[in-house]
């Protein structure tokens, strides 16, 4: 058999090498910083590792850090160094004050101009604009990308991300967010992700109270809770709180109600979010009567020492309340 020699021109060979390098860059994992490894953040960070990214993590909880370290993440004792090593930095933190302080500490010594900071906490849209101005002034980029879907969504990588920023920035972060969620929506300019999240969480808080009231009444009237839950979920009362997160123990196996309302989305946090919704409603002269009533209900739960319980504990509170 004769051998045929194929001559490849230098130009073609150079183009091929460029293409290979480009493909390699696209498939290679990114260096991603993750600050805040709580009930949701820990799962989100884990999903990024599963997708081949190199994780740099920080949390005040040592067990949370050790958990991620066992999965391959590098743990840092300060966020400034973490940010310097990261192409993207994602923050998932409890409230305005902690978010603000964390970004001040993280960027105090400057930032890499190519780093994109992504805040997935639930905070005031005005704070988003302040942080964006501060970080862009240091030469980097910042967007807001709060999430919806709860702990189940974080664990299963099915979260919805609501992104506020430019179209260019949205396109730059979309592939990273897709490692943790299935729906990535560009809501508009800076702060619009948070605006969407606050409206959504206000609706969530209201609907959980509605489901809890209806389930409690049905059970007191003698209906089987499983039977009534099936009716709701095949009828007009169907919602996320009834179908995925039913507050009655035993109805939805994966819901916090089956674990003494531990974990999940705390009453403290839904109260905080409804407070933020109240603030932006006042600023925009928008009536939110149901939102205000829901806020008061969760504040009552906090006053009864239930702030650390999942917010679906509102059902348990109602169950144990009787009118004379």
């Amino acid at each position: 058999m004769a051998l045929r020699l194929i001559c490849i021109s230098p130009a073609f060979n150079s183009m091929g090498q460029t293409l290979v390098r480009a493909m390699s860059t696209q498939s290679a994992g990114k260096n991603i910083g993750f600050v805040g490894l709580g009930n949701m953040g820990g799962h989100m960070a884990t999903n990024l590792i599963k997708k081949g990214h190199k994780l740099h993590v920080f949390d005040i909880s040592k067990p949370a850090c050790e958990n991620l370290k066992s999965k391959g993440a590098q743990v840092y004792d300060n966020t400034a160094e973490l940010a310097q090593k990261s192409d993207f930095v994602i923050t998932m933190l409890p409230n305005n004050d902690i978010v603000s302080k964390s970004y001040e500490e993280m960027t105090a010594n400057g930032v890499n101009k190519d780093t994109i900071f992504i805040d997935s906490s639930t905070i005031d849209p005005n704070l988003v604009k302040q942080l964006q101005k501060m970080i862009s002034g240091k030469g980097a980029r910042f967007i807001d990308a709060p999430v919806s879907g709860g702990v189940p969504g974080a664990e299963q990588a099915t979260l919805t991300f609501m992104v506020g920023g430019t179209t260019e920035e949205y396109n730059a972060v979309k592939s990273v967010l897709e490692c943790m969620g299935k729906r990535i929506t560009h809501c508009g300019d800076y702060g619009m992700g948070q605006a969407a999240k606050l409206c959504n969480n206000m609706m969530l808080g209201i609907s959980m109270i509605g489901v809890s009231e209806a389930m409690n009444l049905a059970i007191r009237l003698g209906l089987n809770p499983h039977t009534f839950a099936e009716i709701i979920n095949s009828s007009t009362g169907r919602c996320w709180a009834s179908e995925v997160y039913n507050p009655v123990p035993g109805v939805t196996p994966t819901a916090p109600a089956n674990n003494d309302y531990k974990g999940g989305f705390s009453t403290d946090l839904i109260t905080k979010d409804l407070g933020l919704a109240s603030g932006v409603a006042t600023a925009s002269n928008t009536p939110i009567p149901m939102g205000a009533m829901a806020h008061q209900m969760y504040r009552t739960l906090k006053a009864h020492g239930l702030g650390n319980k999942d917010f679906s504990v509102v059902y348990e509170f109602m169950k144990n309340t009787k009118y004379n």
Side-chain angles (χ1 to χ4, degrees), residues 118-183:
I118 305 167
D119 182 54
S120 290
S121 318
T122 302
I123 58 174
D124 190 316
N126 291 318
L127 177 57
V128 168
K129 295 172 184 177
Q130 293 170 19
L131 292 174
Q132 192 279 327
K133 184 176 180 180
M134 178 187 77
I135 292 170
S136 63
K138 293 176 181 285
R141 288 176 287 177
F142 172 90
I143 65 165
D144 56 308
V147 301
S148 180
V151 175
E155 188 172 8
Q156 298 161 23
T158 58
L159 293 168
T160 292
F161 282 85
M162 294 155 270
V163 181
T166 66
T167 300
E168 179 187 6
E169 288 165 339
Y170 167 75
N171 291 331
V173 303
K174 190 171 185 284
S175 63
V176 171
L177 300 183
E178 285 175 335
C179 296
M180 302 174 285
K182 68 176 183 179
R183 186 176 181 85

Side-chain angles (χ1 to χ4, degrees), residues 36-39 42 46 57-71 73 75:
L37 305 172
N39 291 332
T46 297
V57 301
F58 174 87
D59 194 280
I60 59 172
S61 167
K62 289 185 178 180
C65 289
E66 288 300 316
N67 178 45
L68 266 294
K69 184 178 180 180
S70 70
K71 297 174 182 178
V75 177

